[in-house]
Amino acid sequence: MLPSRAMTGKAVGRSVPRREADAKLRGQARYVGDVTMPGMLHGATVRSQVARGRLRAIHFGPEVRWDEYVVVTAADIIAAGGVNTVALIVDHDQPALVGIGDIIAHREEPVVLLAHPDPHALEPARRAIRLEVEPLPAVLTLDDALAARTVVYGEDNVIKSYGIDKGDVDAAFAAAEVVSEGVYETGAQEQLYIENNGMIGALEGDVVTVWGSMQCPYYVQKGLMKCFGVGPERARVVQLETGGGFGGKEEYPSILGIHVALLARKAGRPVRILYDRGEDMAATTKRHPSRTRVRSAARRDGTLTALDIDFVLDGGAYATLSQVVLSRGTIHAAGPYSVANVRVRGRAMATSTPPHGAFRGFGAPQSIFALERHLDEVAHKLGLTPEALRRKNFVTKGGELATGQLVRDDIDLGALLGSALALADWERKRTDIAAERARSGAPLRRRGLGLATFLHGTGFTGSGEKYLASVVGVEGMADGRVRVLASSTEIGQGTQTVFAQIAADALGVDMADVEVATPDTRDVPNSGPTVASRTCTIVGKLVETAAHTLRARLVAAGLLPADGGGDLRAAVQRHLATLGPLRALAQYEAPPYVKWDEGAFRGDAYGAYSWGVYVAEVEVDMLTYEARVLDFVAAQEVGRVIHPVLATGQIEGGVAQGIGWALYENVVWRDGVMSNNRMTDYIMPTSEDIPPIRVLFAEAPYPYGPFGAKGIGELPMDGPAPAILNAIEDALGVSIRRIPATPEVIMDAVEGAGASNGDGAGAGAGVAGAGVAGAA
């Protein structure tokens, strides 16, 4: 893959109108709930009601006329010669349906599928089914999983583990002038996409076809192929308009796609399942809860000499995507710092809850939260400002990260930090806050400032992109326009628009000459999943390469001038008329310097990183203990910005989700299931809770991204939580080490610090840990 060519186009770098905006504004966009088919039935799922047990029997109540329903159980899969599994990464990880005699691993396991012409007839039937279950011991907490007194996965509840080793950590600690230690915890988080999960299944001849709301059509196809025992030509997946994903529609649609297809096969008619909000929140994946112990060694001047990090994720009942979430979190745990000695141990543990899965950031927000909170505590201990400690330890171009990867990005984190602090008016606000504290001693509303500095790798980790070997096509159409062929989905982030911009500028045409195909496994190649900040950088680069190749073919055929320009539509039509079909494909090739050793977990983890400095100003009400973000600055280096408005929207949306994770969104678990699975009880930030978000982009073009672009979608999830909690510590003089920092958590921390200090611990009262042992 060649570096990007000169940036001379008319579309890239401009905020052109969104491709799908008109249809959405006019109400013409068709989501799963809008689509009907002749004879279509409505489906529902009967789920287990115990955290762990063995299914002994399924009893169908006599009050229901079961001959009016389509009923599918695991026995139907086996009888048809299929495999009762949801194929993803680990073979035979979780069943499509729990069968009689099988283990129930969590309370939302699907057991029976129902379909009926009347959707209102489904709930009475669902209630009439009784599952006879032999109870088994469950593992309901991370502590229980680690203790392994009850084993629910493998030999020790460990789904996956990774390790990073750099330098001599033990020797560095032995020689350390200052040693600090803390434990930091993050909770689960629900994606809360606007549109719930939904799919439609049908048989088209001998082809199993599903349509639905999803991020990864080829994941769903893989699941169908394995479960039904068919090849790719007999398993078709089509994305419909998708109302948000954030990772929540990465792997879960494979389960739902299998379910609607099983019902459709037995019914001989199309079947739609559309979850309501309660079922969607209770049964589907969430962000992995985490616990991270960070131990650091430093000189008194602030130089970090060693990091020893133990990073643990709660994976839930099955492996699903936990190993790749763990991989990213482990690699990001040591942050954007130059530390000679690093040891990171990462583990994903199994518990008896619904599996946790992909969510924007993919493990990095959890480990970054721990490190960035820890560094503020270290700074206080050393008598340094948080920004001074970070400046002392920033990695620079040519420096080495924890995995041994050399930084090739043209990044100056010191300058980015300076820009962010200037935009935040950091020094003036710091002076004002100090004066306010001096005047009133312990004001009822206390303000504080906090920051976080971080990095986020673009694309799949390590050899992941090489394994995917993604392919993109660009083809000529009968009317002379060109069409981009990729399975990357539009889920609200702007895929269609950005691909059209890249293709138009690579071809030297207007965007009106470019169409982006609907992701349909029958028509488009596998460009990989729409995840991991890879759509623009990795897949967009393939779009650019394929477009350049197509234009080169037209030049070689004498249909376009070699020096640019020409009438592309006429050239395409002439090629189709005289030379036949016109299609160019591009397949992923790693940048030549990328070398990764999966066994040693060492080398170039990513082709490039995006870098961020986020600054938060908060206010804490000392009567209610509510924290509110007053102002937020998000500065990042992301390569070339393809579409400024879309890019700004990505940052603002990520910050808003980060604020929710930091302060509001508390998943309450009861007996292994989410008990507050309603939007009245699961509190998310509204527009009233979101402050002004000032976004700053620094552009250092990446040669192996389209027109220099790097990843942007996940980066803004990484920085808000630690910046906000650092600001709360600045306001209160109390260190809170777990999120969400709800009023109850803040109150406990303040009152605990007051008891230990003998007074009501206000700002400047010193740092005390909340919820875990204090700093060593």
Side-chain angles (χ1 to χ4, degrees), residues 162 164 291-295 304 307-312 325-337 339 342-346 363-375 401-403 453-456 601 606 609:
Y162 291 108
I164 293 174
R291 179 183 299 162
T292 307
R293 181 178 295 276
V294 182
R295 187 166 174 252
L304 295 172
L307 289 172
D308 189 1
I309 300 171
D310 183 47
F311 176 57
V312 184
V325 174
L326 178 70
S327 172
R328 185 176 287 268
T330 301
I331 288 168
H332 286 74
Y337 304 107
V339 182
V342 178
R343 178 166 57 219
V344 184
R345 296 293 180 263
Q366 292 95 314
S367 60
I368 289 170
F369 170 79
L371 180 65
E372 289 301 298
R373 283 296 298 115
H374 182 77
L375 290 184
L401 296 171
T403 64
T453 55
F454 52 97
L455 77 173
H456 198 96
F601 216 60
Y606 303 96
Y609 293 86

Side-chain angles (χ1 to χ4, degrees), residues 34-312:
D34 300 318
V35 175
T36 59
M37 297 180 179
M40 186 175 76
L41 304 179
H42 302 274
T45 309
V46 178
R47 301 181 182 278
S48 60
Q49 293 299 308
V50 298
R52 190 162 178 263
R54 189 177 299 276
L55 181 65
R56 292 304 186 188
I58 304 171
H59 300 285
F60 295 86
E63 66 271 28
V64 172
R65 296 187 58 179
W66 294 106
D67 59 331
E68 296 179 357
Y69 291 80
V70 179
V71 180
V72 170
T73 67
D76 292 289
I77 300 173
I78 305 305
V83 180
N84 185 18
T85 190
V86 181
L88 188 60
I89 297 176
V90 176
D91 285 339
H92 305 289
D93 180 29
Q94 63 178 321
L97 295 169
V98 176
I100 293 175
D102 293 342
I103 295 289
I104 291 171
H106 64 85
R107 275 192 55 179
E108 295 294 328
E109 287 252 52
V111 180
V112 181
L113 304 174
L114 302 173
H116 193 276
D118 179 4
H120 302 290
L122 291 170
E123 190 55 36
R126 181 156 50 183
R127 290 197 300 267
I129 293 176
R130 182 174 65 85
L131 305 180
E132 184 180 326
V133 178
E134 173 193 346
L136 293 173
V139 172
L140 299 179
T141 69
L142 201 50
D143 284 333
D144 290 342
L146 290 164
R149 287 183 289 269
T150 296
V151 175
V152 296
Y153 190 98
E155 298 179 353
D156 53 6
N157 294 326
V158 177
I159 294 172
K160 188 70 176 180
S161 62
Y162 291 108
I164 293 174
D165 292 282
K166 177 187 176 186
D168 189 336
V169 172
D170 293 333
F173 274 100
E177 296 176 359
V178 179
V179 174
S180 302
E181 184 173 344
V183 178
Y184 309 86
E185 297 181 345
T186 67
Q189 186 183 20
E190 165 64 30
Q191 290 89 351
L192 277 183
Y193 26 71
I194 295 175
E195 179 201 27
N196 296 333
N197 271 282
M199 302 285 274
I200 299 171
L203 287 184
E204 298 180 307
D206 65 349
V207 178
V208 179
T209 302
V210 299
W211 298 260
S213 184
M214 69 187 79
Q215 294 178 229
C216 312
Y218 276 92
Y219 278 12
V220 180
Q221 186 194 50
K222 179 180 179 179
L224 292 172
M225 289 164 56
K226 185 74 171 183
C227 186
F228 282 74
V230 298
E233 72 284 350
R234 290 184 54 197
R236 179 188 176 202
V237 180
V238 186
Q239 186 216 11
L240 295 175
E241 201 75 61
T242 298
F246 310 113
K249 294 176 184 174
E250 178 175 350
E251 74 266 40
Y252 199 86
S254 295
I255 300 174
L256 192 48
I258 289 171
H259 288 175
V260 293
L262 288 169
L263 284 167
R265 179 174 66 181
K266 191 164 186 178
R269 297 162 65 176
V271 178
R272 177 174 66 197
I273 295 179
L274 185 60
Y275 289 169
D276 63 21
R277 183 64 69 178
E279 183 174 20
D280 197 294
M281 292 179 73
T284 66
T285 58
K286 291 164 186 51
R287 185 182 302 285
H288 290 69
S290 76
R291 179 183 299 162
T292 307
R293 181 178 295 276
V294 182
R295 187 166 174 252
S296 65
R299 299 192 188 105
R300 297 195 184 279
D301 68 356
T303 302
L304 295 172
T305 58
L307 289 172
D308 189 1
I309 300 171
D310 183 47
F311 176 57
V312 184

Side-chain angles (χ1 to χ4, degrees), residues 142 194 340 412 449 476 525 550 593 598 691 703:
L142 201 50
I194 295 175
D412 183 342
L449 299 173
L550 185 139
Y593 56 81
E598 185 68 26

Side-chain angles (χ1 to χ4, degrees), residues 374-387 389-390:
H374 182 77
L375 290 184
D376 261 40
E377 294 176 3
V378 173
H380 288 303
K381 195 171 187 177
L382 295 173
L384 298 173
T385 64
E387 64 271 26
L389 179 71
R390 287 167 173 82

